[in-house]
Amino acid sequence: ETRFRGVEPDVITYNALISACRRTSSTTGAEEHETTKALEVFEEMKARDVEPDVVTYNAMISVFEKTSFDKAYEFFLEAQEQPFPPDIVTYGSMLAVCEKQGEWEAALEILEDLKKETSGVEPNVVVYNEVLCALSKEKHQWEKALAVLADMKKRRGIAPDNISYRAAIAACGRSGKWEEALALFEEMPSVGLTPDRVTYKAIIAGCRKANRLDKVKELLDAFPHDADFNPITPNGRLGPTK
């Protein structure tokens, strides 16, 4: 039981404990142990008639980011049944779980639900990027990634950033669509974005996967290398693209 010098813990105390479990699992790699502890804290909270709030549910969803999509989704659904409405963090936390667990279909469904007026929440660049990152890890989902990016562009108040383009480029490259990937890469400066090192690696990997070594050479020649960035291996060959 949780007691602090005779003072009964409140929702803020419990939220801090659950969040601590999330942080500990991230830094130590002991995810299963910390998720068990978080569940124990949550159950004690209810046993003491301390009402969870939106922060509680957001933290519980995040606790399962790397271990259980099903459990995180259970808390996500439960959060929507509470008297308080889910917020953008609730959706972002659940989409982060989808991205980590490879649940791209669920990510798309959650994004569609979020976009409905009934959600009461306005999507932002972060939630879109989580969906794009989920799609970037899957083969043959490049069209869906491009559709999500296009939706971002037309939505008021949301501008795709480097992460958005990088994920869409990776999705195209993984699917062998090097021309589409290159078009996105070349579009970035026109929207005020400068491709970073990770984006260069993504487009180079996509071109190499398609065996377009001429484009790979052009990209390598164009990038101003420094001591901190080298997309090729120490033996002078491009690294694996898988």
Side-chain angles (χ1 to χ4, degrees), residues 98-227:
C98 294
E99 189 267 327
K100 291 290 189 301
Q101 299 285 323
E103 297 284 348
W104 62 269
E105 291 174 298
L108 286 171
E109 290 177 7
I110 291 168
L111 178 62
E112 288 304 310
D113 288 341
L114 172 59
K115 286 159 55 179
K116 295 175 183 176
E117 288 186 13
T118 52
S119 76
V121 181
E122 284 292 323
N124 61 17
V125 68
V126 175
V127 297
Y128 271 99
N129 285 350
E130 292 288 3
V131 177
L132 283 169
C133 287
L135 291 168
S136 74
K137 297 178 178 180
E138 302 295 324
K139 289 184 178 180
H140 313 306
Q141 300 307 327
W142 64 278
E143 290 179 299
K144 291 183 176 64
L146 292 184
V148 171
L149 185 66
D151 187 44
M152 287 181 78
K153 292 176 181 177
K154 72 182 183 183
R155 287 190 74 87
R156 188 174 181 179
I158 298 179
D161 60 11
N162 267 291
I163 296 173
S164 316
Y165 274 89
R166 181 195 311 152
I169 288 168
C172 291
R174 190 177 292 275
S175 302
K177 299 295 179 179
W178 70 272
E179 291 175 302
E180 287 79 1
L182 192 61
L184 289 173
F185 180 80
E186 293 175 343
E187 179 184 304
M188 291 179 71
S190 69
V191 294
L193 297 173
T194 301
D196 58 16
R197 300 166 187 177
V198 183
T199 308
Y200 264 88
K201 287 184 178 181
I203 185 61
I204 288 170
C207 289
R208 186 194 173 206
K209 184 178 180 67
N211 203 32
R212 290 306 306 260
L213 300 184
D214 56 328
K215 293 297 180 183
V216 170
K217 186 179 184 304
E218 287 178 19
L219 289 161
L220 289 173
D221 290 342
F223 190 82
H225 299 304
D226 56 42

Side-chain angles (χ1 to χ4, degrees), residues 85-101:
D87 59 15
I88 191 63
V89 178
T90 313
Y91 283 92
S93 299
M94 190 62 230
L95 287 169
V97 175
C98 294
E99 189 267 327
K100 291 290 189 301
Q101 299 285 323

